[in-house]
Amino acid sequence: MKFHFTTQELSNFEENIRREWAMTNGIGGYAGGSIIGACNRTHQGYLIASLHPPVERFLVFSKTNECLLQNGSLFDLTTAQHAGDTIAQTVIETSDIPEEYKRPDTVNVASDFAPRRPVYTQGQRYLTDFIYDGTVSFRYQAGQVTIDKHLALVQGENTVAISYDITNAGSEAVFTITPLMNYRDHSESSSQDSLQFSTVSNDFCGFTLRPKADPNIQIILASSNGTCTPREDCFDVDMQYQTEVDNEVPGLDTHYCPYDISFTIPKKASLQISLICCVESDDQVFAYGLPQPELAHELIEKKKRYLDNQIKNAGYKNDDFAGALVVAADQFIAYRSSTQLKTVLAGLPWFTDWGRDTMIAFSGLTLATKRFTEAREILLTFAKYIHHGMVPNMFPDNGQAPLYNTADASLWYFYAVDQYLNYTGDASDYHFIQKEIYPALKEIIRAYHDGTDFSIYMDSDYLIHAGSGIDQVTWMDVRVGDWVVTPRHGKPVEINALWYNALRVMSDLSAHYGEDNQTYLQLANCVKESFCRTFWNPEKQCLYDVVDGDTKDDSIRPNQIYAVSLPYTMLPADQALAVVRTVEEQLYAGPGIRSLSKDHKDYHGIYCGSLPKRDAAYHQGTAWGYLMGAFITAYLKVHGHSEEARKQALCYLEPVRHHLTSEGCIGSLSEIFDGDAPHTCRGCYAQAWSVGEILRCYTEDILK
């Protein structure tokens, strides 16, 4: 599994700064950048450390700049975008949003929102190769010197290793590395005033920084050999992040660069350099001692072996698509210190662990990859936090108590448990579920039957009602102040499809455990009869999206696909086929499925601009990557898994393959895409349920 870009593909700065890479360390920390070496967004750098796994994520090491001096010529390998002059820009409103959330049509050149003209430092002119294989490699050719730079995060540590292999075919040269350091929350930006450190030169080549904002933290950067020289100008100011500019914010940042590290490369000689950066607290010591030239290389090779083993253990060594998705899946599985168990980060770079996202991504991330130990731990993590019969919606990044504003996470939990037993299914697995999970499942059913928080209750027709007021409890959950963009209060179609599935799962489990299952089975039959009578829309030959009393929302949305794709479903065959055809014809959009039909008056085909504009489009036409999984499963189900249907399903996945290999975050799948062609990728550049659902449907429905 390797993604390789060469000189011709790398030459264009503006195009390639939007092609990104990401790596994670298994405890919530991550690294990222563009394939040409520049940073493209606030959430990028060589080491974003998780100080309280998997949250409290801080940028500590932004990047390195390099230059080479040979035969009197200076080759600057730095690739960066900085802000120049302020320019005017006309902003066209792209959505119908409440007046209080709109900005003026024209941005004043003196306002905070006025973009500043970018200035490019184009070191990518010397870049001949970029490779992503779960680690990252850059190859530069400058003068008569070839420089191979390789990065990886150490699994389970807030440590990044950078190796340099330099071959000099000419006269003596001097190679200089300038580390750009930082200490800020990964969602914020820095200024010279905020970057206050006490700096200590070490016995080895490198330095230790103690941020004045948290003196208990040590940021240690150590290099093998070389000469460490203090810099007169210690700040890199006004680095500009294009993704943030696109979102109509300044997108400016500052970095601290106290030292240059220089190396002499003799004529016609080679040199190996090891650079290690880590975060330690006062009760820890620098684990690596005096860095040796081979140390970073060893750590990088260890990470590559770890990822290769993930592919091998999953059984997809000969399938590049599946293998790449296995590596992508690993990025989202992280250790949670509060439970001392594994959890799932919903998306890179900013999401933490969300209940809904976890349960949807669960099968692909842990079961299709045969990571059954992690699967158990994830189920336990969320079982520990069930409250009033509800699985947490999300764990905030600041360590606060979980939020529970979701009606579907608890019902998706049944799906995850059922999938776990389908993949494993021996006596010990059933015993684990009975002892650790089954009581929680009973609690959820009881809470939904009797009523719980957020107006979630079973109505007299046996269907689940959810939401009221300004609550947003389905996955279409955008709210800006008191503006609810997609109010789906009442009986959402996917909530009730999940409710039926959950009752059938409980019927099976109770029978397996020797308990009376008739209560669950009879209730499920009542739900089925009521669902089919209530949700079928004969005029449009599909399902209503939400039913609330006599009000029936006939918007064509993708939520109805779950009434076909889930293991236990209620529709007769002809109606199931009609639902799939509707989604196929009106919502399929290349790498994703639209959240609303293009024919609807509220359709927004482009997701861009300021946050209110983006929120207005988020579930109103924007295409979602994760929905492709349910669509593929449903499509194959209604077509009997025929060979022709499998071929068509592979055709539907072709845009996903292209996205994986060529755009966005190389080697992963984005959260969302524009509903309009060319379906530009947006949102999180790597999303757990996008990866998990594509891996699940590909391995469960197409390969088998």
Side-chain angles (χ1 to χ4, degrees):
M1 189 282 304
K2 184 179 292 187
F3 301 95
H4 189 185
F5 295 81
T6 56
T7 304
Q8 186 173 359
E9 298 167 293
L10 295 166
S11 60
N12 186 291
F13 186 103
E14 293 175 271
E15 176 183 337
N16 286 299
I17 198 173
R18 300 178 189 278
R19 285 176 168 156
E20 302 173 282
W21 56 267
M23 302 183 292
T24 61
N25 63 7
I27 58 172
Y30 65 95
S34 70
I35 69 171
I36 55 174
C39 291
N40 183 41
R41 61 178 78 226
T42 301
H43 301 85
Q44 283 185 340
Y46 286 178
L47 180 58
I48 294 96
S50 177
L51 304 183
H52 186 65
V55 295
E56 294 182 22
R57 290 171 287 184
F58 279 72
L59 173 68
V60 298
F61 182 18
S62 303
K63 67 191 295 279
T64 56
N65 292 336
E66 295 88 8
C67 66
L68 180 81
L69 180 63
Q70 187 178 46
N71 294 328
S73 296
L74 181 66
F75 302 90
D76 188 355
L77 309 186
T78 302
T79 308
Q81 179 171 325
H82 285 80
D85 299 331
T86 303
I87 57 175
Q89 180 188 38
T90 298
V91 177
I92 300 173
E93 293 294 341
T94 59
S95 57
D96 297 322
I97 62 179
E99 289 298 325
E100 61 266 33
Y101 301 112
K102 288 186 178 181
R103 294 202 353 264
D105 287 344
T106 301
V107 177
N108 187 292
V109 295
S111 77
D112 290 338
F113 296 102
R116 293 170 63 182
R117 194 185 315 274
V119 176
Y120 303 140
T121 307
Q122 301 204 49
Q124 89 283 356
R125 293 175 299 177
Y126 306 107
L127 184 61
T128 63
D129 299 87
F130 169 85
I131 294 174
Y132 173 79
D133 59 3
T135 65
V136 170
S137 299
F138 300 89
R139 170 170 284 186
Y140 296 90
Q141 184 66 49
Q144 295 175 287
V145 178
T146 302
I147 302 159
D148 286 306
K149 175 183 178 181
H150 203 160
L151 296 86
L153 293 180
V154 177
Q155 194 71 11
E157 297 182 21
N158 286 314
T159 301
V160 62
I162 308 175
S163 69
Y164 293 87
D165 289 289
I166 303 175
T167 302
N168 184 5
S171 59
E172 181 179 278
V174 176
F175 180 66
T176 301
I177 302 171
T178 304
L180 277 61
M181 313 304 294
N182 217 307
Y183 186 75
R184 62 165 171 81
D185 182 278
H186 68 149
S187 296
E188 298 176 357
S189 59
S190 296
S191 65
Q192 291 189 43
D193 290 339
S194 68
L195 290 176
Q196 299 294 317
F197 299 95
S198 59
T199 307
V200 179
S201 295
N202 295 318
D203 294 336
F204 49 80
C205 182
F207 50 86
T208 298
L209 302 179
R210 286 184 180 270
K212 292 187 178 179
D214 190 350
N216 294 321
I217 294 294
Q218 300 181 83
I219 305 168
I220 302 171
L221 187 137
S223 170
S224 60
N225 46 58
T227 301
C228 201
T229 306
R231 290 172 54 90
E232 292 185 10
D233 183 2
C234 292
F235 293 97
D236 182 300
V237 299
D238 280 355
M239 185 179 286
Q240 186 181 62
Y241 302 133
Q242 187 58 47
T243 293
E244 314 303 341
V245 175
D246 292 344
N247 292 337
E248 298 181 13
V249 296
L252 301 178
D253 205 4
T254 297
H255 308 281
Y256 182 57
C257 34
Y259 291 94
D260 289 330
I261 305 174
S262 299
F263 306 83
T264 299
I265 312 166
K267 65 178 182 179
K268 298 190 182 299
S270 297
L271 179 67
Q272 191 176 67
I273 300 170
S274 176
L275 197 68
I276 307 292
C277 182
C278 67
V279 175
E280 307 284 357
S281 59
D282 274 345
D283 59 352
Q284 296 173 307
V285 296
F286 184 45
Y288 298 103
L290 298 179
Q292 301 301 311
E294 65 276 7
L295 175 60
H297 297 72
E298 292 172 357
L299 294 174
I300 292 166
E301 286 304 313
K302 183 178 180 180
K303 185 60 175 277
K304 293 177 74 171
R305 289 194 299 272
Y306 166 82
L307 295 172
D308 285 343
N309 284 336
Q310 296 298 330
I311 299 173
K312 181 180 178 181
N313 293 339
Y316 309 123
K317 194 71 175 178
N318 298 319
D319 190 313
D320 289 342
F321 184 52
L325 291 172
V326 169
V327 172
D330 180 74
Q331 295 181 331
F332 306 106
I333 298 175
Y335 171 78
R336 171 165 276 281
S337 59
S338 64
T339 59
Q340 299 185 26
L341 297 167
K342 294 294 175 66
T343 188
V344 171
L345 298 180
L348 294 174
W350 52 76
F351 283 136
T352 56
D353 31 0
W354 288 61
R356 173 192 303 115
D357 299 56
T358 295
M359 300 311 151
I360 294 174
F362 178 83
S363 296
L365 300 190
T366 66
L367 304 180
T369 57
K370 298 183 175 60
R371 299 179 68 160
F372 302 130
T373 299
E374 286 93 335
R376 286 190 181 206
E377 291 191 14
I378 291 164
L379 292 176
L380 280 171
T381 289
F382 284 87
K384 288 178 179 291
Y385 284 95
I386 289 175
H387 177 70
H388 292 177
M390 298 181 69
V391 167
N393 187 28
M394 67 167 291
F395 293 91
D397 203 2
N398 55 11
Q400 294 178 350
L403 304 178
Y404 289 88
N405 54 324
T406 171
D408 50 355
S410 300
L411 301 177
W412 277 114
Y413 194 53
F414 289 83
Y415 172 80
V417 170
D418 188 46
Q419 285 282 91
Y420 171 78
L421 292 173
N422 287 338
Y423 271 83
T424 55
D426 61 26
S428 64
D429 298 307
Y430 274 96
H431 178 71
F432 160 73
I433 295 297
Q434 184 178 25
K435 179 183 177 183
E436 303 290 349
I437 308 298
Y438 189 52
L441 300 182
K442 286 184 174 181
E443 179 186 349
I444 293 169
I445 294 293
R446 185 165 51 250
Y448 275 59
H449 181 279
D450 297 342
T452 185
D453 302 336
F454 301 102
S455 303
I456 298 170
Y457 59 86
M458 188 183 76
D459 207 346
S460 58
D461 60 0
Y462 308 102
L463 300 176
I464 295 297
H465 176 283
S468 62
I470 61 172
D471 294 332
Q472 289 289 71
V473 295
T474 74
W475 76 279
M476 293 184 166
D477 56 1
V478 168
R479 191 181 83 198
V480 183
D482 292 338
W483 172 40
V484 179
V485 183
T486 49
R488 302 181 70 232
H489 303 146
K491 298 166 185 175
V493 63
E494 80 280 12
I495 299 299
N496 284 284
L498 285 162
W499 172 234
Y500 176 78
N501 188 74
L503 291 169
R504 290 295 303 271
V505 170
M506 280 300 285
S507 174
D508 292 347
L509 286 175
S510 57
H512 185 89
Y513 295 136
E515 300 179 5
D516 182 10
N517 72 333
Q518 289 305 302
T519 299
Y520 298 117
L521 192 57
Q522 290 171 8
L523 183 54
N525 289 336
C526 292
V527 172
K528 179 178 181 178
E529 190 278 331
S530 189
F531 182 93
C532 292
R533 182 183 68 251
T534 302
F535 279 96
W536 181 248
N537 181 346
E539 180 181 349
K540 292 190 175 182
Q541 290 291 292
C542 63
L543 299 177
Y544 292 109
D545 188 58
V546 182
V547 174
D548 188 14
D550 294 332
T551 302
K552 296 187 175 184
D553 182 357
D554 64 353
S555 305
I556 304 298
R557 293 190 182 274
N559 305 303
Q560 61 188 300
I561 200 68
Y562 290 109
V564 182
S565 67
L566 286 168
Y568 294 103
T569 56
M570 299 167 279
L571 296 177
D574 60 331
Q575 292 183 2
L577 179 61
V579 165
V580 173
R581 283 178 177 167
T582 296
V583 173
E584 180 182 18
E585 293 169 2
Q586 297 203 39
L587 302 178
Y588 174 77
I593 302 294
R594 293 186 187 93
S595 48
L596 183 65
S597 169
K598 295 182 73 172
D599 296 333
H600 197 282
K601 63 181 179 61
D602 293 328
Y603 173 78
H604 293 75
I606 305 294
Y607 177 91
C608 68
S610 62
L611 183 58
K613 293 178 186 178
R614 285 178 280 138
D615 281 345
Y618 204 35
H619 301 115
Q620 298 285 68
T622 296
W624 289 72
Y626 89 95
L627 293 169
M628 281 291 293
F631 169 67
I632 294 296
T633 296
Y635 181 86
L636 288 167
K637 181 186 285 190
V638 299
H639 290 94
H641 289 85
S642 68
E643 187 59 31
E644 182 180 353
R646 288 175 187 268
K647 290 179 180 178
Q648 182 58 52
L650 286 172
C651 290
Y652 282 136
L653 286 178
E654 195 55 38
V656 179
R657 287 179 182 263
H658 174 77
H659 171 63
L660 180 82
T661 59
S662 304
E663 59 187 22
C665 184
I666 304 303
S668 195
L669 301 178
S670 296
E671 176 191 13
I672 52 177
F673 306 84
D674 287 343
D676 287 353
H679 309 303
T680 301
C681 55
R682 310 283 190 178
C684 278
Y685 53 62
Q687 190 80 352
W689 60 6
S690 297
V691 171
E693 273 294 87
I694 295 300
L695 183 54
R696 179 201 60 78
C697 78
Y698 181 67
T699 55
E700 281 185 4
D701 298 316
I702 295 177
L703 292 186
K704 290 183 180 179

